[in-house]
Amino acid sequence: MTNKTVRPILEMNAFDKQSPQTENVARRIANTGASSVLFYREPIEMVSAEGVWMTAKDGTRYLDFYNNVPCIGHSHPAVTAAVNKQIATLNTNTRYIVPIVDDYLEALKATFPKELSNVVLTCSGSEANDLAMRLACKHTNGTGFIVTESAYHGNTSLVTQVSPSALKNTSLPEHVIAIPPPAKKYYGDNIEQGFADQVQLAIEELKQRGIKVAALLFDSIFSSDGVFSEPEGFLSKAIEVIHQAGGLYIADEVQPGFARTGTSFWGFQNHNASPDIVTLGKPMGNGFPMAGVVTKPEYLDSFCADVGYFNTFGGNPVAAAAGLAVLKEIKDKNLQENARLMGDYLKAQLQSIAEQSDHIAEVRGSGLFLGIDICHPDSADKPDPEFTVNMIDQFREEHILIGAAGPDGSTLKLRPALCLTKTEADCFIDAFAKILKAS
Amino acid sequence: MTNKTVRPILEMNAFDKQSPQTENVARRIANTGASSVLFYREPIEMVSAEGVWMTAKDGTRYLDFYNNVPCIGHSHPAVTAAVNKQIATLNTNTRYIVPIVDDYLEALKATFPKELSNVVLTCSGSEANDLAMRLACKHTNGTGFIVTESAYHGNTSLVTQVSPSALKNTSLPEHVIAIPPPAKKYYGDNIEQGFADQVQLAIEELKQRGIKVAALLFDSIFSSDGVFSEPEGFLSKAIEVIHQAGGLYIADEVQPGFARTGTSFWGFQNHNASPDIVTLGKPMGNGFPMAGVVTKPEYLDSFCADVGYFNTFGGNPVAAAAGLAVLKEIKDKNLQENARLMGDYLKAQLQSIAEQSDHIAEVRGSGLFLGIDICHPDSADKPDPEFTVNMIDQFREEHILIGAAGPDGSTLKLRPALCLTKTEADCFIDAFAKILKAS
């Protein structure tokens, strides 16, 4: 429960602005200043993308194992067609009735437990988590939040407060407690109990600070912490603990949601957990900006009695069309099952290669959301962020895009589109073996 | 400087959920619960829209004088074509270089004073104002904000605090002071001095509360306050006052920006004012969700040293394509000049009709952003929100969409697309005369 320093997530594999800049990189930095965030020691100029592949200006085709937003594949024709049809017809706000919006809301709700029967559509996962936190505060009359040490939940003022991995020189505010992620190294073999105990301690610590807890806010696969999904169901006890304390459980599904984990459509379902509020984002529109909060009606009732909430772009019919196309494609092409099969295959192959290498401490994850811990050759307990960055660069040489996560940036994070084929998975597996062999 | 109760903006012309509901209205309310916000006593189901016109399911074509988002016209073919081309090719985030993004950033920057040379693209005006406020706090080391009594700046937690018109049962927090809008009824003939004096008083009041002021945050046309744009330049002194106190001036251009006021491209330019930070939104992508913050580099430098800010959807190439299409259309079709000409024509005609009616206290505004104060027949000083709602319904009978603003919802707010023709303006003028005559 210490406020440990974690490596800011934006520093991972980031272009160093002190390095020599090509004309286009200089242009970007002149336009966006300190807020510019480019990947790689030498940033890549992209010109097109399709399926799991992105094409750079120099003609190189990169296998995209990083970007989880285009979940059904880059530039997907079903989304293009849906957006094109709707944007040419009607794009307005939710103050009018447009049935495609309700078609989408109903299709989305059908994937959730019945009690989560209200949806608020927003533009970004950040807006969704901002609203979810306020619903929890209003309902519980509390202000305290419990998150994990390297959590990232978004970019608004409120949400940044619960995102330790977005903070550089500032520490967490008093009402936020970060606990160690659900990893064996912190909790041994009983992650479920250990994690629940930490939640209990955090609730008591908040109480000592004179703060009532409002909610647990967890990314259901703990992505920025380094990807933790096992053992199945380990969240259950922590959720019991927060409920006993009168707090809510907010499931942040911005990263694991929409079938990525293969075993279930939503990450929280892998924990047999019943969230009080769920937040969605990134893959929802395959790149069309959209996100949302799925909640029990009573939380909205009390919140909206105090605050008028309206989102101008949230729930526009073009977003609804994009969202419907994504849901349909996942269903029609059985992408959840593909994520499970390809994920299992990838994980097994990578684990088998990892056994031959003293650079790999662990390969874990669910479906097409995997994490690979990179360690010093002399000990599996010594993370090696430098070697990780080098591997990311070597993957680039092999024409594969990949990123890092975890408190020190030593976990490779794999999140290819859900339509990944075995041939494409083999591309990655071969590159992984080659890079490790050469090191 | 009292924390006056203002009528929540979402209650204006809102459907009452206790009323009988059609099947589609019931469906919407079942899906979105307390967060549903529908217009009109009988909500309208829309099926398509084009130019300044929206078509309902029953075939009625409505002249849209309400929606300022589709600024170059509903379902504009240039935006449709640009979005379609880009979304079929590449839609990714700003961690890669995609030149169309910088093309857009540069086209946008060209409309601003040179010192505002950094842009952060976001998904919504709310996200933009959230970030702008944090830049101001970081730079000034202050936390106090001065806004107007019926201001609305967005929906995040932080931004709701400075949006009195979003609050129902809660009052403004201690660090926010709301001052009367720049109306004659508060300041007489010397609005400039009176308004600056109120800003000075607010700064001192904050100081007495132990709070350092961070910024003035004003919508440059004071839209939700009831639309105030005259006399030209009246903001200058208030800005001097805030600068002398070490605070910043944030120009919220989410509503007046992108040529709507006719006399200038940005609302702040009507005040010969140099904002420190500018926020953009609604019309930026003609409905494609996009927004942004335009700022001096130094504010981003210090902010980004503390906080890693990244916006997944912000600055995606599809948004850039939509944004470029909007800027090009405004320029190619001379829409700023059209807004000025049509706005002047509308205002003059409406003023002339208003002179014959004891229901109208004032017609004011700039370009295609006009406000019409509705009053009791016995006194121009007695606002009449009930008559205003009736007028909105009567306009609907005349197949015209219009909304209300102001502290009690008694100001009709006119914001048609910038491509409005004289024939379309005449439609509105005729309906206005007809409705007043019948009353």
Side-chain angles (χ1 to χ4, degrees), chain A residues 78-274:
Chain A
V79 172
T80 299
V83 165
N84 193 34
K85 185 179 171 199
Q86 189 60 49
I87 204 170
T89 309
L90 176 64
N91 187 13
T92 190
N93 61 71
T94 52
R95 281 160 161 151
Y96 308 103
I97 295 283
V98 185
I100 195 172
V101 175
D102 292 286
D103 293 345
Y104 181 63
L105 292 169
E106 287 163 12
L108 187 66
K109 278 167 56 177
T111 66
F112 283 97
K114 274 220 170 97
E115 67 273 17
L116 295 169
S117 63
N118 279 179
V119 183
V120 183
L121 292 172
T122 65
C123 303
S124 68
S126 299
E127 283 188 350
N129 278 323
D130 193 285
L131 177 58
M133 288 174 68
R134 293 158 78 196
L135 294 180
C137 289
K138 174 68 189 168
H139 180 75
T140 60
N141 212 16
T143 55
F145 284 90
I146 300 166
V147 296
T148 45
E149 278 173 357
S150 297
Y152 179 78
H153 295 289
N155 60 30
T156 69
S157 173
L158 185 69
V159 178
T160 300
Q161 293 172 3
V162 293
S163 297
S165 79
L167 304 177
K168 293 178 188 174
N169 300 317
T170 49
S171 47
L172 290 177
E174 208 191 4
H175 66 279
V176 181
I177 294 200
I179 65 174
K184 270 179 253 160
K185 74 170 164 182
Y186 300 112
Y187 303 109
D189 281 337
N190 200 341
I191 290 180
E192 182 172 10
Q193 189 61 51
F195 201 60
D197 290 346
Q198 281 290 323
V199 169
Q200 185 63 55
L201 281 173
I203 292 167
E204 283 159 20
E205 171 67 24
L206 284 169
K207 209 181 282 175
Q208 278 176 21
R209 295 180 190 175
I211 294 164
K212 189 175 183 319
V213 71
L216 275 189
L217 171 56
F218 290 151
D219 163 0
S220 308
I221 202 160
F222 300 86
S223 170
S224 54
D225 282 296
V227 187
F228 296 97
S229 62
E230 290 158 322
E232 207 170 284
F234 71 77
L235 263 184
S236 309
K237 277 206 171 141
I239 296 166
E240 275 174 37
V241 169
I242 190 74
H243 281 158
Q244 276 161 15
L248 303 186
Y249 159 44
I250 304 172
D252 181 338
E253 292 286 340
V254 172
Q255 303 237 30
F258 291 96
R260 178 160 291 281
T261 64
T263 40
S264 63
F265 198 82
W266 302 111
F268 67 80
Q269 291 166 332
N270 296 326
H271 294 280
N272 305 313
S274 291

Side-chain angles (χ1 to χ4, degrees), chain B residues 125-415:
Chain B
S126 299
E127 284 188 349
N129 278 324
D130 193 285
L131 177 58
M133 288 174 67
R134 293 158 78 197
L135 295 180
C137 290
K138 174 67 189 167
H139 180 75
T140 60
N141 213 17
T143 55
F145 283 89
I146 300 167
V147 297
T148 45
E149 279 173 357
S150 298
Y152 179 77
H153 296 289
N155 60 30
T156 69
S157 173
L158 185 70
V159 178
T160 300
Q161 293 172 2
V162 293
S163 297
S165 80
L167 304 176
K168 293 178 187 174
N169 299 319
T170 49
S171 46
L172 290 177
E174 211 193 2
H175 66 280
V176 181
I177 294 201
I179 65 174
K184 271 179 254 160
K185 73 169 165 182
Y186 300 113
Y187 302 109
D189 282 337
N190 199 342
I191 290 180
E192 182 172 12
Q193 188 60 51
F195 201 60
D197 290 346
Q198 281 289 322
V199 170
Q200 185 63 52
L201 280 172
I203 292 167
E204 283 160 20
E205 170 67 24
L206 284 169
K207 209 181 281 175
Q208 278 177 21
R209 295 180 191 176
I211 294 164
K212 189 175 182 318
V213 71
L216 274 189
L217 171 56
F218 289 150
D219 163 359
S220 308
I221 201 159
F222 300 87
S223 170
S224 54
D225 282 296
V227 187
F228 296 98
S229 62
E230 289 159 323
E232 206 171 284
F234 71 77
L235 262 184
S236 308
K237 277 206 172 142
I239 296 165
E240 274 173 38
V241 169
I242 191 73
H243 281 157
Q244 276 159 16
L248 304 186
Y249 160 43
I250 304 172
D252 181 337
E253 293 285 340
V254 171
Q255 303 236 30
F258 291 95
R260 178 161 291 281
T261 64
T263 40
S264 62
F265 197 83
W266 302 110
F268 68 79
Q269 290 166 333
N270 296 325
H271 294 280
N272 304 314
S274 291
D276 300 295
I277 304 175
V278 183
T279 56
L280 319 173
K282 296 194 195 298
M284 199 168 184
N286 208 51
F288 193 95
M290 64 187 297
V293 177
V294 186
T295 177
K296 298 175 187 173
E298 56 262 39
Y299 306 151
L300 275 181
D301 288 343
S302 50
F303 177 77
C304 291
D306 272 7
V307 175
Y309 186 90
F310 186 72
N311 197 307
T312 297
F313 298 137
N316 71 73
V318 183
L324 275 168
V326 169
L327 290 179
K328 187 172 186 303
E329 181 73 9
I330 291 174
K331 196 176 175 186
D332 290 356
K333 300 286 166 63
N334 223 344
L335 293 182
Q336 183 179 321
E337 179 64 1
N338 190 62
R340 192 181 67 78
L341 289 173
M342 286 301 109
D344 283 352
Y345 173 71
L346 254 177
K347 188 159 74 168
Q349 296 294 310
L350 297 176
Q351 279 170 338
S352 136
I353 294 164
E355 278 166 22
Q356 318 298 317
S357 169
D358 46 13
H359 283 291
I360 310 296
E362 191 176 45
V363 179
R364 59 172 175 270
S366 289
L368 288 175
F369 209 139
L370 301 179
I372 305 175
D373 278 347
I374 310 300
C375 61
H376 279 280
D378 49 346
S379 164
D381 294 334
K382 273 174 71 181
D384 193 339
E386 287 71 33
F387 192 78
T388 312
V389 171
N390 285 334
M391 280 189 82
I392 290 171
D393 274 333
Q394 286 167 297
F395 270 111
R396 182 200 173 152
E397 296 300 313
E398 299 296 324
H399 304 167
I400 293 172
L401 306 174
I402 193 172
D408 41 29
S410 67
T411 303
L412 291 177
K413 193 169 58 172
L414 281 58
R415 306 174 305 188

Side-chain angles (χ1 to χ4, degrees), chain A residues 2 28 37-38 80-81 87 116 130 140 152 176 181 241 317 344 359 380 386 405 416 420 437:
Chain A
T2 51
R28 172 63 56 84
V37 180
L38 289 161
T80 299
I87 204 170
L116 295 169
D130 193 285
T140 60
Y152 179 78
V176 181
V241 169
D344 284 352
H359 284 290
E386 286 71 33
L420 188 80
K437 205 171 171 188

Side-chain angles (χ1 to χ4, degrees), chain A residues 371-417:
Chain A
I372 305 175
D373 278 345
I374 310 300
C375 61
H376 279 280
D378 49 344
S379 165
D381 294 333
K382 272 174 71 182
D384 194 340
E386 286 71 33
F387 192 79
T388 312
V389 171
N390 285 334
M391 281 188 82
I392 291 172
D393 273 333
Q394 286 168 298
F395 270 110
R396 183 199 172 155
E397 295 300 312
E398 298 296 323
H399 304 168
I400 293 172
L401 305 175
I402 192 172
D408 40 28
S410 65
T411 304
L412 291 176
K413 195 168 58 171
L414 280 58
R415 307 174 304 189

